[in-house]
């Protein structure tokens, strides 16, 4: 069954991972449409990977600390391969500049491909820190949209958490005719457009 990845809306603009899988997993899913999408940046602030860390790293370190350490190693690799990347911030985010420019930069593409294995999956705690702050109305909209999708042909569409966001490596089947019909039927709830990218094979 082909599935669609649910990615945090605030990370939808992470060009490094959309281009080359710099987050470690390289999976290019499309996100659930969300009432908080307007908060997503258009720049290339590389922050999340394709997967989600769930703990148990075996080092005894906090998973956020492990993640930030890994991001430092990733930046070091980028620098060693010709990319002038700044240090990650406290949440492991790296401001890489204009997304359009990066897409056309062969040196960045080569370096990001080479360094991708060093960038760890993003922990849920980081996702929560970076999630858009939704208003009560937006949260209600998220729950209404999920309920509509589940009722109209996408029963595996995930429920938001109490803050209105969806976290982690949640998957749902977006490729069935019923799911596509549900997306069209429910689009007005979130104001459209509904992203219908290819599902994960």
């Amino acid at each position: 069954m082909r599935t669609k990845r649910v990615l945090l809306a605030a990370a939808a603009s992470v060009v490094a991972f959309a281009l080359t899988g710099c987050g470690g997993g390289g999976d290019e899913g499309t996100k659930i449409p969300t009432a908080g999408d307007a908060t997503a940046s258009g720049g290339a602030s590389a922050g999340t990977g394709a997967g989600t860390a769930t703990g148990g790293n075996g080092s005894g370190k906090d998973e956020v600390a492990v993640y930030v350490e890994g991001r430092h190693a990733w930046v070091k690799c980028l620098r060693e391969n010709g990319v002038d990347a700044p240090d990650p911030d406290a949440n492991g985010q790296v401001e890489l500049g204009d997304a359009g420019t990066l897409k056309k930069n062969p040196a960045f593409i080569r370096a990001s491909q080479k360094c991708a294995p060093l960038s760890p999956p993003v922990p849920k705690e980081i996702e929560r820190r970076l999630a858009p702050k939704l208003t009560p109305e937006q949260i209600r909209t998220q729950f209404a949209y999920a309920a509509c999708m589940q009722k109209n042909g996408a029963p595996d569409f995930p429920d938001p958490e109490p803050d209105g966001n969806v976290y982690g490596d949640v998957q749902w089947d977006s490729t069935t005719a019923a799911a596509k019909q549900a997306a069209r039927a429910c689009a007005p709830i979130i104001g459209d457009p509904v992203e219908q990218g290819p599902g994960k094979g």
Side-chain angles (χ1 to χ4, degrees), residues 3 23 25 45 73 87 98 103 108 142 150 152 154-155 164 169 190:
T3 56
S45 178
D87 288 332
D98 179 67
K103 288 179 182 179
F108 172 76
Q142 291 301 94
Q150 293 163 2
N152 286 282
D169 187 16
I190 56 169

Side-chain angles (χ1 to χ4, degrees), residues 9-199:
S13 63
V14 181
V15 69
F17 306 108
L19 283 172
T20 61
C22 290
D27 187 11
E28 297 180 19
T30 49
K31 62 185 171 55
I32 282 185
T34 165
D37 280 353
T39 65
S41 166
S45 178
T48 64
T52 300
T54 55
N57 56 60
S59 68
K61 295 181 180 178
D62 176 84
E63 67 177 6
V64 170
V66 171
Y67 172 69
V68 174
E69 262 185 28
R71 297 293 284 167
H72 277 280
W74 177 67
V75 164
K76 182 174 182 288
C77 179
L78 289 180
R79 291 170 179 168
E80 290 171 350
N81 286 276
V83 175
D84 185 20
D87 288 332
D89 65 17
N91 292 319
Q93 307 305 288
V94 182
E95 181 55 54
L96 293 172
D98 179 67
T101 301
L102 290 175
K103 288 179 182 179
K104 300 174 185 177
N105 185 336
F108 172 76
I109 293 172
R110 285 193 300 269
S112 60
Q113 288 173 339
K114 183 173 181 179
C115 301
L118 295 175
S119 187
V122 60
K124 272 191 176 183
E125 173 59 26
I126 295 295
E127 287 190 349
R128 292 181 188 280
R129 291 181 189 180
L130 300 177
K133 175 71 173 176
L134 303 184
T135 66
E137 182 180 356
Q138 288 174 324
I139 292 172
R140 287 192 294 271
T141 296
Q142 291 301 94
F143 276 94
Y145 183 72
C148 178
M149 290 292 289
Q150 293 163 2
K151 180 180 178 181
N152 286 282
D156 56 343
F157 192 89
D159 287 315
E161 295 203 15
D163 66 359
N165 290 296
V166 176
Y167 302 104
D169 187 16
V170 182
Q171 296 183 344
W172 65 286
D173 187 356
S174 65
T175 63
T176 67
K180 292 176 181 177
Q181 181 177 345
R184 289 191 294 270
C186 302
I189 294 175
I190 56 169
D192 226 5
V194 174
E195 296 186 13
Q196 288 294 332

